[in-house]
Amino acid sequence: MSDLLHVYALCVLVLCLKMFAISAYQGVFRLRLKAFTNPEDARFFDRATHGEELPQVTRAAKAWRNDLENIPLFFVLGGLCVALETSNVATRGMFCAFVIARVLHTLAYLARWQPWRTVAYGGGVACLFGLGGMLIWRLA
């Protein structure tokens, strides 16, 4: 396995685990506070159905949706960088920086830290543009 593929695989794994952690975060709040919006869940736990989600669950869902707007682009661009063998050092740096930015974005989103959430988001987007630029350079 190439070094770049190894780093890419580790980054994909970390991002998948991070997204799983957001889902678990939502579940912990629902279970701890026994607040369920789905009637079948409320019935299973012998609770009344809640009309609205808990604020923590809603916030985590928004962070998760933001991941869905960014992480699939990383999967595609990163996979193409590995397949087309873009610059090893620069690509590895972009991969790692993207993962760090997305983890920080999630933490900042859940903790309501501004401007750090925006800074982390911008860093991740810059990495995506950087990966895209390297692909354009490689294909030209």
Side-chain angles (χ1 to χ4, degrees):
M1 175 180 347
S2 76
D3 181 49
L4 195 55
L5 178 57
H6 183 80
V7 172
Y8 175 71
L10 286 173
C11 288
V12 167
L13 178 61
V14 169
L15 291 168
C16 288
L17 290 172
K18 184 195 80 59
M19 291 181 75
F20 177 75
I22 293 175
S23 295
Y25 177 90
Q26 293 177 59
V28 165
F29 275 98
R30 284 186 184 122
L31 290 172
R32 185 168 25 144
L33 300 175
K34 295 187 177 28
F36 307 100
T37 57
N38 293 326
E40 66 275 13
D41 297 338
R43 199 170 33 255
F44 181 78
F45 289 97
D46 197 28
R47 298 286 182 211
T49 303
H50 277 233
E52 294 182 19
E53 283 285 9
L54 296 167
Q56 301 91 335
V57 172
T58 300
R59 189 121 187 120
K62 288 178 180 180
W64 209 85
R65 278 194 304 271
N66 189 275
D67 279 347
L68 291 178
E69 296 170 1
N70 292 274
I71 291 176
L73 296 172
F74 172 79
F75 291 163
V76 171
L77 294 172
L80 288 171
C81 285
V82 170
L84 295 174
E85 300 175 345
T86 56
S87 169
N88 203 10
V89 174
T91 305
R92 279 185 307 174
M94 296 270 184
F95 285 178
C96 294
F98 180 81
V99 170
I100 291 167
R102 291 311 303 172
V103 169
L104 291 175
H105 177 269
T106 296
L107 294 174
Y109 207 116
L110 295 177
R112 302 172 190 262
W113 295 336
Q114 272 296 14
W116 304 114
R117 185 180 92 215
T118 300
V119 170
Y121 176 82
V125 169
C127 291
L128 293 175
F129 275 103
L131 293 172
M134 287 192 296
L135 287 168
I136 290 169
W137 180 263
R138 183 75 172 119
L139 291 169

